[in-house]
């Protein structure tokens, strides 16, 4: 009987992970590679510090802007050519947009929607024929708790993630007959990522901002910490593995209960 902590064996599988240079995407790429998967990372801002660990794990890092169809097609074609096929796509590349709607420029709207939504469309468009050629596969979209329960302070980001969840369900319905499973993971608040650090760097009081993020999530608050990229990566590992063979169109919220509703008032707030 396998050990309770045994990881799924992904030997022989080939995965594409977008936005895999840092944060959640990096944790996903490393975990999939550690489980034997051949991983191709596409990121428009690769980090030099990844070079040596990537080489050791056989991770291929390619510069790719997910807003650009030629870049996405080239990433998928490389994975198919060098990996011998494609089994897994993780659409993780994303950017935040914290602004009231009246201050959002047309360029900012496009940047957010094109990265968080169009990127996943382009990857699905070019990956699905390759997944069908393998007899099926798995797509995981990294959405957000903001896509489940929209927020007042980042309406464009919330919209992009809500639409990504809709795309997830549509593709799951359309491609079930092809044995392609499409699911979404909805994290938040996750520490130790470039997006989170950029948010915190803008805050007038960093420590207070960290406390505010933690306070908004019941389990993060109870445990006195943010969620880790590795915890999000574990949910992706489950979704791409054989244990999830009958799972499609679902959302896994790794948000400590943040998207469930209004949390209870605790004594220190009363
Ligand atoms: P991160 O900034 O560390 O990672 C995002 C990665 O995407 C970066 O490496 C960045 O270079 C890359 N990227 C951005 N735009 C790109 C583009 N156009 N083409 C290719 N790569 C691009 O931040 P993260 O927190 O790890 O975010 C990963 C995903 O998780 C995002 O989709 C984000 O919306 C989502 N998410 C994060 C949190 C959180 O609290 N950190 C919560 C919910 C959802």
């Amino acid at each position: 009987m396998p050990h309770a902590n045994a990881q799924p064996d992904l030997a022989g599988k080939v995965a594409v992970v977008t936005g895999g240079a840092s944060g959640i995407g990096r944790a996903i790429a490393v975990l999939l590679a550690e489980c034997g998967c051949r991983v191709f990372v596409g990121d428009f801002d690769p980090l030099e510090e990844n070079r040596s660990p990537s080489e050791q794990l056989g991770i291929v890092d390619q510069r790719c802007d997910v807003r650009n169809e030629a870049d996405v097609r080239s990433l998928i074609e490389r994975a198919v050519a060098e990996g011998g096929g494609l089994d897994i796509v993780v659409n993780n590349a994303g950017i935040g947009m914290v602004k009231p709607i009246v201050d959002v420029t047309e360029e900012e709207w496009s940047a957010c929607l094109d990265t968080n939504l169009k990127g996943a469309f382009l990857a699905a468009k070019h990956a699905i024929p390759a997944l069908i050629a393998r007899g099926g596969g798995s797509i995981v979209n990294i959405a957000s708790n903001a896509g489940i329960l929209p927020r007042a302070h980042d309406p464009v980001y919330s919209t992009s993630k809500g639409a990504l969840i809709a795309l997830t369900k549509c593709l799951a319905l359309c491609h079930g007959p092809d044995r392609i499973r499409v699911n979404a993971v909805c994290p938040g608040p996750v520490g130790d990522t470039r997006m989170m650090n950029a948010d915190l760097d803008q805050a007038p009081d960093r420590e207070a901002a960290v406390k505010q993020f933690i306070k908004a999530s019941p389990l993060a608050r109870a445990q006195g910490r943010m969620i880790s990229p590795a915890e999000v990566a574990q949910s992706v590992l489950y979704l791409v593995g054989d244990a999830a063979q009958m799972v499609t169109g679902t959302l896994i919220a790794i948000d400590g209960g943040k998207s469930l509703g209004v949390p209870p008032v605790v004594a220190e707030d009363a």
Side-chain angles (χ1 to χ4, degrees):
M1 191 169 166
H3 187 271
N5 290 328
Q7 303 280 31
D9 181 7
L10 297 181
K13 303 281 186 198
V14 178
V16 161
V17 180
T18 68
S22 66
I24 295 168
R26 181 70 190 163
I28 294 167
V30 167
L31 184 60
L32 295 184
E34 284 172 349
C35 290
C37 193
R38 187 84 205 280
V39 179
F40 293 78
V41 162
D43 200 298
F44 77 162
D45 188 14
L47 295 178
E48 184 54 34
E49 70 201 44
N50 291 337
R51 188 189 290 261
S52 159
S54 282
E55 276 171 15
Q56 281 169 21
L57 286 163
I59 295 174
V60 173
D61 291 303
Q62 175 158 324
R63 194 175 291 274
C64 164
D65 183 340
V66 296
R67 297 168 296 181
N68 179 301
E69 183 161 14
D71 276 15
V72 175
R73 187 173 48 224
S74 152
L75 174 67
I76 301 229
E77 282 175 356
R78 183 172 182 188
V80 171
E82 293 181 20
L86 183 64
D87 306 281
I88 295 163
V89 177
V90 184
N91 289 308
N92 164 80
I95 58 169
M97 180 66 54
V98 180
K99 264 191 172 186
I101 202 81
V102 291
D103 294 336
V104 175
T105 65
E106 197 177 345
E107 289 73 26
E108 287 170 333
W109 167 273
S110 297
C112 189
L113 269 289
D114 286 0
T115 308
N116 298 359
L117 182 61
K118 185 175 131 185
F121 144 64
L122 291 174
K125 173 180 168 180
H126 291 288
I128 282 170
L131 299 177
I132 290 174
R134 279 286 238 216
S138 176
I139 298 175
V140 181
N141 295 324
I142 308 301
S144 168
N145 64 93
I148 303 172
L149 192 68
R151 307 186 293 219
H153 72 281
D154 56 5
V156 179
Y157 181 76
S158 293
T159 299
S160 73
K161 295 298 188 177
L164 183 58
I165 290 171
L167 179 69
T168 301
K169 294 181 181 180
C170 291
L171 294 181
L173 268 179
C174 298
H175 293 286
D178 300 318
R179 295 190 177 202
I180 297 173
R181 302 182 299 99
V182 190
N183 293 287
V185 172
C186 299
V190 180
D192 203 20
T193 81
R194 280 196 273 191
M195 181 188 290
M196 177 56 82
N197 285 332
D199 262 16
L200 294 176
D201 289 345
Q202 277 180 6
D205 179 342
R206 199 176 210 272
E207 211 174 307
V210 170
K211 279 193 182 140
Q212 202 56 43
F213 273 115
I214 291 175
K215 206 173 147 182
S217 162
L219 281 181
R221 183 172 196 167
Q223 297 181 34
R225 66 174 179 92
M226 286 201 198
I227 296 146
S228 72
E231 286 170 313
V232 181
Q234 283 294 338
S235 66
V236 174
L237 185 61
Y238 162 69
L239 286 171
V240 304
D242 284 348
Q245 267 178 31
M246 281 292 169
V247 180
T248 198
T250 58
L251 316 178
I252 300 186
I254 311 289
D255 68 355
K258 189 175 179 206
S259 57
L260 289 172
V262 181
V265 175
V266 300
E268 65 184 281
D269 294 334

